[in-house]
Structure formats: C-alpha cells, structure tokens
C-alpha cells in the first residue's frame, strides 16, 4: 500500500513539474516584436549568420555584440545596429535560448571565434541582455575590450569591479524597470572608471523599438529621439577609445 502511495506521489510531482515547465516555455515564447515607427527609417541592409543578425562590414576591426532584452526579438534593435554600423563597426544581434539571454550569456563565443579579423570586441545588451553581457565580460575579460549596458546593470561579479575594462552605462530617467536607484545600487560591481549617461525622458522599452512594456513608465521623448541619443553616446565613447578608425 505504501509503495502504491509513493508511486502516486511521484507521478503527481512529475505532472506538476511538466506542467510548470510547459507554462514557463509558453511564457518565454510570448515575445516583444519589433514594430514600425514612421520616424524610424530602416534600410534592412543586414545578413544572417546562423542565429545572428549581422550589420555592417564583416572586415571591420571593431565589433559590437548586442544581447536583446528578455523576450525581445532581435529585430527590435535593428535601428541601433544599422546606425552604429555606419560608423565603421560590425554589429551583431543574436537569437538566444528561450528568448532569455541570461541562459545563453556565452553566445558571443560563436561570433568571436568566427570573425578573427575583429580586433576590438564590445559586448553590450539591453536589460537582461546587459546583465548577460556583463556576465560574459566577467568570465572572459581577456576577450572583451568594452562593455555597454543599456537600461541595465551588472550583478555581483568577481572580475569587472577590479578591472580597467571601459564600461558605458546608458539609462533612461523614466525607466520603470532598470531604475536609477537600481543602477546606483549596483555601481560597485563595475570598474570605478565606468561612464554613466542618463537620457532625460527616456524609458526602458525605448532602448529597443517594440512598443510598451509592462512595469515601465511612459517616456517623455520619442523612440527616435531616444534611439539616436543611444547611438550618439556609443559612437562618442567608441571614438574616445579609437575603436572606429
């Protein structure tokens, strides 16, 4: 009788686990897709390399890898990639496991291993994508020349805070998810030399072009204004480090 009871309990637990995983999987597939905005002009000049969207010259000596935010489609960052690529940089955006970059933070290895001509690799990402990029940089400090956090911050790490890695953190004053308080709280996990830029009126969702996001605040500037500010700040930072020559 006891054995039958134990089997029933195990079967019930298995069913609960399977249902929970199924629900989680379905949740990860409900993504934020790129949307059309009249002010955003896309030229659609990109190529696909496996799971990657590639913008710019593949012979560039500087490459930027942008990890998307959680459940955000890579195409939502197409405008950023397109505009950055105009400044003599290769820009790549990956599809990640279960649309959650934290589960696939080592994805950058694929591109770094393939594009041998790139001398300077900048890892970046939005929201969870920024956290994933910071994780990669923390564990591969010798492979990365710079880190860009977009509406994001680094979690506790062992290497970044004591390193001299150039870091650019771009935030939005109206961001309801990666708030100014959270970014300030996590400053100790980045190098002392990290640079911080706050976009006045910018929010969380407008680090991509995919519409509104739950938990965010309403932006006080247009998505085009925020996107262009992001591009300008990254370009200026890259030029300061002689990565765009």
């Amino acid at each position: 009788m006891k054995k039958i009871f134990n089997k029933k309990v195990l079967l019930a637990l298995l069913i609960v686990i399977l249902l929970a995983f199924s629900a989680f999987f379905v949740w990860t597939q409900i993504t934020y897709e790129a949307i059309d905005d009249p002010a955003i002009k896309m030229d659609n000049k990109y190529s696909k390399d496996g799971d990657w969207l590639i913008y710019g010259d593949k012979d560039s000596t500087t490459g930027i890898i942008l990890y998307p935010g959680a459940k955000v489609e890579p195409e939502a960052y197409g405008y950023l990639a397109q505009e950055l690529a105009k400044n003599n940089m290769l820009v790549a955006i990956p599809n990640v496991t279960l649309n959650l970059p934290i589960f696939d933070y080592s994805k950058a290895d694929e591109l770094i291993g393939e594009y041998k001509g790139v001398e300077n690799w900048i890892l970046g990402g939005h929201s969870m994508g920024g956290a994933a990029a910071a994780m990669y940089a923390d564990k591969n400090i010798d492979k990365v020349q710079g880190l860009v956090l977009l509406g994001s911050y680094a979690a506790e790490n062992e290497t970044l805070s004591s390193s001299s890695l150039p870091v650019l953190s771009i935030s939005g004053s109206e961001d309801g998810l990666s708030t100014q308080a959270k970014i300030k709280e996590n400053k100790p996990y980045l190098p002392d030399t990290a640079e911080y830029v706050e976009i006045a009126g910018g929010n969380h969702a407008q680090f991509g072009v995919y519409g509104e996001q739950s938990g965010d605040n309403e932006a006080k500037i247009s998505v085009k204004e925020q996107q262009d500010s992001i591009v300008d700040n990254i370009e200026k930072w890259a030029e300061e480090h002689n990565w765009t020559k």
Side-chain angles (χ1 to χ4, degrees), residues 47-55 58 62-67 90-94 106-118 121-123 136 143:
S47 60
K48 290 189 176 182
D49 187 348
D51 289 336
W52 295 82
L53 300 181
I54 308 293
Y55 295 77
K58 293 184 178 181
T62 295
I64 300 182
I65 294 173
L66 289 176
Y67 286 166
L90 171 74
V91 187
I93 314 167
S106 62
K107 186 78 174 178
D109 277 336
E110 295 178 1
L111 219 63
I112 293 174
E114 180 178 352
Y115 290 84
K116 302 293 187 181
V118 176
W121 282 109
I122 302 168
L123 258 289
Y136 182 89
K143 296 181 182 180

Side-chain angles (χ1 to χ4, degrees), residues 63-77:
I64 300 182
I65 294 173
L66 289 176
Y67 286 166
K71 304 205 304 172
V72 182
E73 299 285 349
E75 290 82 1
Y77 304 95

Side-chain angles (χ1 to χ4, degrees), residues 171-174 198-202 220-221 229:
S171 60
S173 65
E174 308 307 308
E198 179 183 326
I199 299 176
K220 295 181 179 178
I221 58 175
S229 179

Side-chain angles (χ1 to χ4, degrees), residues 202-213:
N203 70 356
H204 195 77
Q206 288 187 173
F207 279 100
V209 185
Y210 57 88
E212 298 180 357
Q213 185 168 355

Side-chain angles (χ1 to χ4, degrees), residues 93-152:
I93 314 167
N95 279 290
V96 293
T97 301
L98 293 176
N99 298 306
L100 298 174
I102 208 76
F103 289 158
D104 213 3
Y105 75 88
S106 62
K107 186 78 174 178
D109 277 336
E110 295 178 1
L111 219 63
I112 293 174
E114 180 178 352
Y115 290 84
K116 302 293 187 181
V118 176
E119 299 172 3
N120 304 300
W121 282 109
I122 302 168
L123 258 289
H126 171 221
S127 195
M128 184 188 286
M135 286 178 64
Y136 182 89
D138 181 48
K139 297 179 184 300
N140 299 274
I141 198 73
D142 57 323
K143 296 181 182 180
V144 179
Q145 281 67 54
L147 174 66
V148 176
L149 302 175
L150 304 177
S152 184

